[in-house]
Amino acid sequence: MLFMGGEFGQEREWTESGSLSWDELDDPLHAGVQHVVRDLNRLYRSTPALYTQDSFRWIDASDTAGNVICFLRIGADGSQLACLANFSGAPHHDYRVGLPVEGTWREVLNTDAQLYGGSGVGNLGAVHAEGVPWHGLPASAEVQLPPAGVLWLVPED
């Protein structure tokens, strides 16, 4: 849920007696928040795994040392989305994560993208899952997890 002004990270609390601080969008970081909210809304509408049913599976919720959690969302149509969240302030390079199928997984969201004001740590748009079992799943990929960031991956058809 977003409150008035939350869609661009307005610094002051909104009040009905005033307008939103639209001038804050001149700051690239505020514009970045607006871009990520726009992209999250677009991806939600176009990704059945996020809205057609409430199907969820943990990939890994036990990496307390790395401050990482990973889970899958599964749509009624069988579509899948992997969510990888790094809550630490440092990137994790070549981080192995289990995935349900081999092949190319597209990076459809990276909250650390430079467009959003991030450092740009990412996977150049995709990762390749190989037949190396990991986290109880039949395939896995080495990914670049951005600092304090979230990646959304979907398998290529």
Side-chain angles (χ1 to χ4, degrees):
M1 177 165 32
L2 290 173
F3 292 100
M4 295 289 288
E7 69 274 18
F8 61 90
Q10 179 173 286
E11 291 184 16
R12 66 172 175 79
E13 185 175 342
W14 177 77
T15 175
E16 75 283 349
S17 63
S19 67
L20 295 175
S21 300
W22 293 110
D23 60 313
E24 290 184 29
L25 286 172
D26 294 336
D27 180 329
L29 292 179
H30 289 276
V33 172
Q34 184 184 46
H35 291 307
V36 77
V37 169
R38 175 202 62 206
D39 290 349
L40 284 166
N41 285 324
R42 179 183 50 81
L43 283 166
Y44 182 80
R45 287 190 311 270
S46 67
T47 309
L50 293 173
Y51 67 85
T52 58
Q53 66 181 6
D54 207 12
S55 185
F56 169 93
R57 180 195 191 282
W58 282 111
I59 294 173
D60 183 32
S62 62
D63 184 1
T64 56
N67 286 328
V68 174
I69 61 169
C70 306
F71 61 88
L72 287 171
R73 288 292 308 253
I74 304 155
D77 62 354
S79 62
Q80 300 179 78
L81 178 137
C83 178
L84 319 175
N86 177 8
F87 292 96
S88 79
H92 295 304
H93 296 288
D94 301 324
Y95 187 90
R96 185 162 294 275
V97 63
L99 294 167
V101 295
E102 293 181 45
T104 300
W105 285 69
R106 276 185 309 113
E107 187 180 83
V108 295
L109 181 77
N110 177 346
T111 62
D112 193 49
Q114 290 177 330
L115 171 67
Y116 307 144
S119 67
V121 172
N123 298 280
L124 301 175
V127 299
H128 183 75
E130 55 190 341
V132 175
W134 207 261
H135 294 130
L137 293 165
S140 64
E142 286 188 346
V143 300
Q144 310 311 310
L145 281 180
V150 176
L151 300 178
W152 282 0
L153 305 173
V154 296
E156 289 277 316
D157 292 331

